[in-house]
Amino acid sequence: MTDQRSSLDRAAELREEPGVLDRLRADPKTRVIAVRDGRVRVVDSAMLRVSPDDIVEADWALLGRDVDGTVLLLASLPAEPATVDSTPDEIWLGLRDLGGRIDPAETERLIAAIAVAGWLRDAAFCPRCGGATELRQAAWSRRCLVCERDHFPRTDPAVIVAVESADGERLLLGANANWGGRMYSCFAGFVEAGESLESTVHREIEEESGVTLASLRYLSSQAWPFPRSLMVGFRAVVEDEATARPDGEEIIDVRWFTRDEISTALAGDGPVGLPGPASIARALIVDWHEGRV
Ligand SMILES: [Zn+2]
């Protein structure tokens, strides 16, 4: 868990400068993170930063400034043409491949780059009238050319919850139907329109695991770029452990784990898999396991 200030200066003041992306692309000191289909180019477990001149065709956005003041742009590349042969290019990796192998500051840049690239790719038309839009503010907004409404890369909140027993000695995790049966994780779900975070936690946990909650509290959050989510992490205490049961649709099994069992799974031993190192789900599990509050 982190309560650290971001190390990426988003340089919001630059977004208002007319033609700022053209100016920054012409500056030889500018560096670029290129994203294609949710993947970035990686060399030796580090995200590659290239010169703007190395990019032939892309949609551009300003990501911000690195700690040393270097301006960082996003280049969202078109999908590879189908005519290119299908040999996997191993240096293009996504967040799930890279999670935990690059440091948290780089992970933050990676998530921002993938999230904004997805918006540039998917949101070309006005959701109100269907009109064409024009990028503004260094590609952090679009204005509809027909109805003149402004649109922004919205973030969808979702809750993710570590549910513990009343005595704090066991953790309730669920196996999602899409995970193949071996993987267990915290319960999670999107906030619906008109719903508070707290209401979402109570609803999702009851729907997916059958238990009701005696208490809950916020711990931390993490941006997640699929497509642009904000995972809001909670710890909750169950009212009655015995009521735990899977919903049978999204969740195919729920199970109470002791700290010893979580130790084994975190070490990668035994039959149970846990979420990957870049995820807030794993951070919530590790925090509970280590007795952090
Ligand atoms: Zn419109």
Side-chain angles (χ1 to χ4, degrees), residues 153-160 188-198 200-201 203-204 218 221-224 226-234:
R154 300 290 184 202
T155 291
D156 298 321
V159 300
I160 181 159
F190 282 104
V191 178
E192 294 188 345
E195 199 172 37
S196 70
L197 294 171
E198 293 84 349
T200 309
V201 171
R203 175 180 58 75
E204 282 287 346
Y218 168 75
S221 66
Q222 181 190 42
W224 198 244
F226 305 113
R228 285 174 305 286
S229 304
L230 178 66
M231 305 299 295
V232 185
F234 288 84

Side-chain angles (χ1 to χ4, degrees), residues 126 129 144 147:
C126 174
C129 77
C144 176
C147 74

Side-chain angles (χ1 to χ4, degrees), residues 125-133 143-149 151:
F125 297 97
C126 174
R128 181 168 182 250
C129 77
T133 60
R143 177 158 294 176
C144 176
L145 297 171
V146 179
C147 74
E148 299 191 335
R149 184 164 285 207
H151 303 287

